Amino acid sequence: MALESSGFIYIMDVENHRISKFDRFARYQFRWGSPGSGPGQFSDPGQMVIDSVGALYVVDRGNNRIQKFNSRGMFLGEFGAGGTDPVNLWNPNGIVIDPAANIYVTDTGNHRVVKFNSAGKLIGIWGGQGIGDGQFTSPSSIALSASGDQVYVMDQGNSRIHRYDKVGVFLNASGSKGEGDGEFRQPGSMVVDSNGSIYVVDAGNQRIQKFDSRAKFLSYWGPHGNGDWQFQQPQDIEIDSATGMVYVADLGNNTVQKFDDRGRSITKLEGPFLSPAHIAVDSSRKWVYVSDRESRKVFKYDTSGHLISEIGIP
């Protein structure tokens, strides 16, 4: 999912290789996309981000590219293609956009991060396969500090977080494989709050870990279970930028849990979930959206956890 500042929401229909757009009242607007490799077609589409002027960037994983559209779904361009050259991508995964509209992509198959401007021009590349400082094994999620000056990359294969400045200078790494503090098993989604704290879904250890802006371990909450503060297969994590509240999609318990920034359980977004997978928070309107993969619906809540409406993906 991706949210416009005006409240419009884009929902990725992965199975049908298309995107649907709804207004802030959950009213259907239009959709576009089909299976294929042409402009506006997709193969295993993934994450989406929106820039400050409303352009939508979509990770088209199966076609090893990023596609760009305007707010009406009109194709504007693409960058990347299958390969190992600097301008190419191979199994791209995570994507973020900074305040200057530069786009950072985890080029998972090439074990690197690639940086483009909004026109798709290559302006930076760093990484490479390995276990040394600044090297990756299958980088996955990526996140930015609020100012865009710090870039955090989850080095999934090496079970650690890398920290860079915005031009790609390596600053430090933190983590290793294991069950201890600051260690990971199957690390997944990662977000950064307005204070610079980093939150990571440590899926294999059934917990959320919190780090400071230098990727130093601070605390965790979990572990496995079905009670408050416990998880079974945590999937996604999002921050309410207005309040600092943390939302976690808990697939195994079919719920979304809400915590404060110290990990204290606040409430659960109970609903007719079958497989809650992704979360988006509209902080200005105090709404939380949860996509449910199996039911092919998106559920809209207020920040107190009350269900407002549901969106069926056409």
Side-chain angles (χ1 to χ4, degrees):
M1 290 182 290
L3 295 173
E4 284 186 355
S5 59
S6 57
F8 285 92
I9 180 170
Y10 297 88
I11 298 173
M12 178 59 70
D13 182 357
V14 177
E15 292 180 1
N16 291 305
H17 308 276
R18 64 191 181 198
I19 299 167
S20 297
K21 183 175 181 178
F22 297 82
D23 70 12
R24 61 193 180 96
F25 301 107
R27 295 178 301 205
Y28 173 74
Q29 303 296 296
F30 57 85
R31 69 187 182 197
W32 76 94
S34 61
S37 58
Q41 295 182 315
F42 302 104
S43 174
D44 191 25
Q47 292 188 31
M48 302 180 284
V49 292
I50 300 173
D51 68 17
S52 60
V53 297
L56 178 73
Y57 301 82
V58 182
V59 178
D60 186 8
R61 291 177 295 199
N63 289 315
N64 299 302
R65 64 183 177 181
I66 308 299
Q67 294 199 65
K68 181 179 180 180
F69 303 89
N70 68 14
S71 60
R72 298 183 300 279
M74 182 181 297
F75 176 80
L76 298 178
E78 64 179 70
F79 43 98
T84 59
D85 290 341
V87 296
N88 291 341
L89 302 170
W90 192 258
N91 189 25
N93 194 329
I95 185 170
V96 289
I97 188 164
D98 70 15
N102 297 310
I103 300 120
Y104 302 77
V105 180
T106 49
D107 185 9
T108 303
N110 287 318
H111 310 283
R112 63 191 183 188
V113 172
V114 185
K115 181 179 179 180
F116 301 91
N117 67 15
S118 59
K121 180 181 177 181
L122 178 70
I123 54 176
I125 185 169
W126 60 88
Q129 187 170 14
I131 61 173
D133 289 347
Q135 294 181 314
F136 303 111
T137 300
S138 301
S140 54
S141 54
I142 186 168
L144 300 177
S145 62
S147 65
D149 291 335
Q150 304 275 305
V151 183
Y152 302 94
V153 183
M154 178 52 68
D155 182 8
Q156 190 172 46
N158 292 318
S159 298
R160 59 187 180 179
I161 302 168
H162 288 239
R163 183 169 71 101
Y164 297 85
D165 69 13
K166 63 183 179 182
V167 296
V169 175
F170 175 79
L171 299 176
N172 68 289
S174 174
S176 59
K177 188 172 184 178
E179 301 176 357
D181 293 349
E183 296 179 331
F184 302 103
R185 290 177 56 227
Q186 301 172 24
S189 298
M190 176 173 59
V191 292
V192 180
D193 70 15
S194 59
N195 296 316
S197 297
I198 308 160
Y199 300 81
V200 180
V201 175
D202 184 11
N205 287 318
Q206 310 286 349
R207 64 185 179 180
I208 303 300
Q209 294 203 63
K210 181 179 179 180
F211 300 81
D212 68 13
S213 61
R214 295 178 178 270
K216 179 182 178 181
F217 173 80
L218 295 176
S219 63
Y220 77 89
W221 58 93
H224 184 268
N226 57 16
D228 294 342
W229 205 72
Q230 295 179 321
F231 304 103
Q232 294 189 60
Q233 301 177 55
Q235 291 289 297
D236 194 23
I237 186 168
E238 277 296 335
I239 303 288
D240 184 340
S241 61
T243 64
M245 294 294 173
V246 182
Y247 295 85
V248 180
D250 185 3
L251 181 65
N253 288 317
N254 285 322
T255 189
V256 171
Q257 297 196 55
K258 178 182 177 180
F259 303 89
D260 67 14
D261 61 357
R262 296 171 64 182
R264 294 178 297 195
S265 178
I266 304 299
T267 190
K268 290 183 178 180
L269 278 61
E270 303 287 1
F273 299 129
L274 298 176
S275 54
H278 299 291
I279 306 167
V281 180
D282 186 339
S283 298
S284 63
R285 296 173 181 83
K286 300 182 179 180
W287 294 335
V288 181
Y289 296 89
V290 182
S291 68
D292 189 85
R293 185 183 299 122
E294 189 169 338
S295 68
R296 290 179 49 80
K297 292 181 178 180
V298 172
F299 298 93
K300 179 181 176 181
Y301 293 82
D302 64 23
T303 51
S304 297
H306 300 118
L307 180 63
I308 298 172
S309 62
E310 60 182 61
I311 303 170
I313 303 173

